[in-house]
Amino acid sequence: MDNDFSSKEAFLESIFNQYNNDIYRLCYTYVKRKETAEDLTQEIFLKCYQNYDKFQSLSSIKTWIYRIAINHCKDFLKSGYSKYIIISEKILRFAKGKTKTPEDVVLKKDESAQITDKLLNLPIKYREVLVFYYFKELKIKEMARLLEVNENTVKSRLKRAKELLSLSLPNEKEATGDGEEIKRNGEDFLC
Amino acid sequence: MEKKLKEMAKTSYVNELELSETQQRNMLKAIKSKGDSLKPSWKFHWFKNILGLVACCLVIIGLNFLDVDQEAVNNNSSSSSDIQEFNYEILSKAKGNLPNDMTIPTPFFKTIEQPYVKYQRNGRNIEDVSIKFRGEKNVLFVHISLGSSLKDIKADTKSKTDSYSYEDSTSLLLLREDNKPGIIYFEKGDYLYSFSLLPINRESNKKAVHYAKEHLTEIHQMAHQVITQTNDRS
């Protein structure tokens, strides 16, 4: 992507057109609510727009936007408002009992949807490594830089994330970690 | 598991999440308008910091000019009585603040503690000074006030049940039965000095009055000693 923009507006339009859905999905993996993810997406691009001056010195727009998005989503999850929403939803779910919504009845979830659901229920530090590795297809090095942890931490979180995920899935007997090798873009590691 | 995850990453419903054209358009519009209306960036912050600094300097200068008592400000007190309460200082410290023509009594009976002085300011002038000398058995309160005279005291107490035990042109000893045990007043220069001696453990005002009656001569001597001494500000 060309990093030279004629104006601030041009910069915003360019990054928004290229990354809006990407950021929207990333936000969804953090907050698991479409409406909240929409709001967060807007706020993230607003931050990008306001910090246009700071961006100039950076080389990768993608990393820069992702970094802003991660911080913003985590800040939101720490906020009182998000806790209020989570508690309200829990209360609603409790009040409804185990009754399935018409949507649930009609949509018989396939395996992919089931795994996605389980993935989204993992703790954030495990969830985000899976999202960046499988959905965004980032390298371990990029993930480490983005999440501000070292590469070994990313590897061990990835391994643990898969273990947790396989434990939560029914009929998942297959051992995930031991000896399984992942090769991507020339980087090998045991996970 | 690896296969399943890769498959999931391709077919997951998360990938199908998209903002509609209208949503995108509205969002972009909202970002631009919000971003432009907030506009602050570094220039505004810089200006705000400078403004804050200037405002702080002005407040400090203003406080110095008005001679506002810092302790009273820190204690968030607003009433005049509170301000008086917070004006307690050790005598040696307070001496520097007190007027030069005011005789400062030096502790004259074996003082154990450094006496505390309470003073009230009216602008730059100190109008009232209270000093408490704490001895082994007794406490002596000395109050010095500007602008009052013996005449005022006499006029003020004539109709009441006070009794004069000692009186001359410069001094007056009052024994009060109501709320104050016994006070000796002296006039010197522009100031009116009042002295009262109390036992440390006084149980009642009655007992204190009795004590004051018993120590009349002693109080008078002490008071006289203060009046006749020269100003010692060392």
Side-chain angles (χ1 to χ4, degrees):
Chain A
M1 189 178 173
D2 186 11
N3 288 356
D4 295 324
F5 302 99
S6 56
S7 67
K8 208 172 162 182
E9 283 74 23
F11 166 76
L12 175 68
E13 278 175 28
S14 168
I15 59 166
F16 186 81
N17 290 334
Q18 186 158 358
Y19 294 106
N20 70 71
N21 282 324
D22 223 9
I23 295 298
Y24 174 52
R25 287 173 203 142
L26 180 65
C27 292
Y28 182 83
T29 63
Y30 277 96
V31 296
K32 298 182 274 183
R33 288 183 87 248
K34 286 181 187 174
E35 298 78 13
T36 314
E38 277 171 31
D39 292 344
L40 291 178
T41 306
Q42 182 171 322
E43 286 160 16
I44 288 160
F45 280 103
L46 181 63
K47 267 191 182 175
C48 294
Y49 186 53
Q50 287 175 325
N51 291 299
Y52 167 69
D53 300 324
K54 290 179 192 168
F55 162 70
Q56 301 287 356
S57 57
L58 296 169
S59 53
S60 166
I61 292 183
K62 187 177 167 185
T63 314
W64 184 65
I65 297 177
Y66 275 4
R67 184 74 244 144
I68 292 176
I70 293 167
N71 288 338
H72 197 73
C73 290
K74 284 183 178 172
D75 285 347
F76 172 80
L77 290 172
K78 278 183 212 159
S79 71
Y81 180 67
S82 100
K83 280 167 190 158
Y84 163 76
I85 289 178
I86 291 165
I87 291 169
S88 308
E89 282 181 348
K90 277 184 181 170
I91 292 169
L92 259 175
R93 223 176 294 149
F94 179 76
K96 279 182 184 172
K98 288 182 178 174
T99 318
K100 286 185 176 176
T101 62
E103 207 178 359
D104 292 333
V105 177
V106 174
L107 296 171
K108 187 179 178 289
K109 285 182 178 172
D110 60 12
E111 197 181 26
S112 162
Q114 280 178 23
I115 299 175
T116 308
D117 284 349
K118 298 291 178 190
L119 186 149
L120 294 181
N121 281 326
L122 290 177
I124 283 181
K125 66 176 180 179
Y126 299 121
R127 194 193 315 166
E128 64 188 2
V129 288
L130 288 178
V131 168
F132 284 117
Y133 194 77
Y134 291 102
F135 284 86
K136 307 294 177 194
E137 299 188 335
L138 296 186
K139 295 176 194 171
I140 298 292
K141 210 181 218 176
E142 287 176 309
M143 285 163 66
R145 206 167 47 236
L146 207 56
L147 300 170
E148 291 173 341
V149 290
N150 68 44
E151 291 180 32
N152 287 331
T153 310
V154 175
K155 287 176 190 176
S156 62
R157 279 187 191 172
L158 206 47
K159 185 186 175 208
R160 181 73 186 134
K162 286 203 276 184
E163 283 171 1
L164 288 173
L165 197 59
S166 69
L167 284 174
S168 65
L169 290 170
N171 307 321
E172 182 56 46
K173 306 283 182 193
E174 191 184 304
T176 45
D178 302 338
E180 192 179 347
E181 202 173 349
I182 291 178
K183 289 184 181 179
R184 181 183 296 166
N185 301 324
E187 57 179 336
D188 297 350
F189 67 95
L190 294 172
C191 62
Chain B
M1 188 65 195
E2 186 66 26
K3 267 186 188 175
K4 281 184 182 176
L5 279 168
K6 282 180 181 171
E7 188 63 31
M8 178 270 299
K10 282 177 193 164
T11 58
S12 170
Y13 61 83
V14 174
N15 292 331
E16 288 161 20
L17 292 173
E18 269 184 8
L19 294 167
S20 69
E21 288 287 316
T22 324
Q23 276 176 318
Q24 286 185 25
R25 227 181 4 257
N26 292 341
M27 205 179 267
L28 197 58
K29 210 173 162 185
I31 293 166
K32 276 183 188 171
S33 69
K34 268 190 192 175
D36 291 337
S37 65
L38 292 173
K39 275 257 158 121
S41 90
W42 65 275
K43 283 174 193 165
F44 182 71
H45 286 300
W46 172 81
F47 185 63
K48 209 164 64 173
N49 289 342
I50 295 291
L51 264 184
L53 207 66
V54 170
C56 279
C57 290
L58 283 176
V59 168
I60 291 167
I61 291 166
L63 286 176
N64 277 336
F65 184 72
L66 294 170
D67 209 16
V68 173
D69 185 81
Q70 286 298 314
E71 272 184 272
V73 172
N74 291 340
N75 283 293
N76 204 21
S77 311
S78 54
S79 72
S80 61
S81 62
D82 284 345
I83 290 169
Q84 284 176 30
E85 284 301 313
F86 290 117
N87 271 339
Y88 272 101
E89 263 183 353
I90 295 171
L91 180 61
S92 56
K93 263 191 171 182
K95 274 179 180 175
N97 292 331
L98 302 177
N100 288 329
D101 59 339
M102 185 185 275
T103 305
I104 308 299
T106 47
F108 37 83
F109 67 97
K110 293 172 189 174
T111 309
I112 297 168
E113 294 172 15
Q114 164 94 284
Y116 269 78
V117 176
K118 187 174 89 173
Y119 56 91
Q120 185 187 0
R121 282 169 186 244
N122 181 4
R124 288 212 162 268
N125 299 320
I126 291 172
E127 294 192 326
D128 280 289
V129 177
S130 297
I131 310 175
K132 188 167 131 184
F133 295 105
R134 200 178 172 86
E136 274 177 80
K137 291 176 183 171
N138 312 308
V139 181
L140 178 74
F141 295 98
V142 179
H143 186 82
I144 310 166
S145 59
L146 177 74
S148 303
S149 68
L150 275 176
K151 277 183 188 173
D152 300 330
I153 302 293
K154 281 180 188 171
D156 189 40
T157 53
K158 221 163 200 178
S159 59
K160 295 175 188 168
T161 56
D162 304 301
S163 60
Y164 305 132
S165 294
Y166 178 89
E167 190 179 351
D168 63 24
S169 58
T170 56
S171 64
L172 166 77
L173 177 65
L174 283 179
L175 277 175
R176 291 181 173 178
E177 300 288 347
D178 48 5
N179 56 358
K180 289 180 182 174
I183 304 170
I184 188 160
Y185 292 96
F186 271 93
E187 219 177 69
K188 189 186 179 187
D190 291 333
Y191 301 99
L192 183 74
Y193 296 77
S194 67
F195 299 82
S196 54
L197 184 73
L198 294 173
I200 282 180
N201 301 315
R202 72 165 181 176
E203 284 162 18
S204 66
N205 283 336
K206 257 190 180 177
K207 204 172 177 182
V209 171
H210 181 69
Y211 182 87
K213 277 180 184 171
E214 279 185 342
H215 292 83
L216 278 179
T217 327
E218 202 181 337
I219 298 170
H220 187 257
Q221 278 173 358
M222 283 190 289
H224 203 74
Q225 200 178 339
V226 171
I227 296 304
T228 51
Q229 78 182 22
T230 50
N231 270 346
D232 176 17
R233 295 297 176 98
S234 57

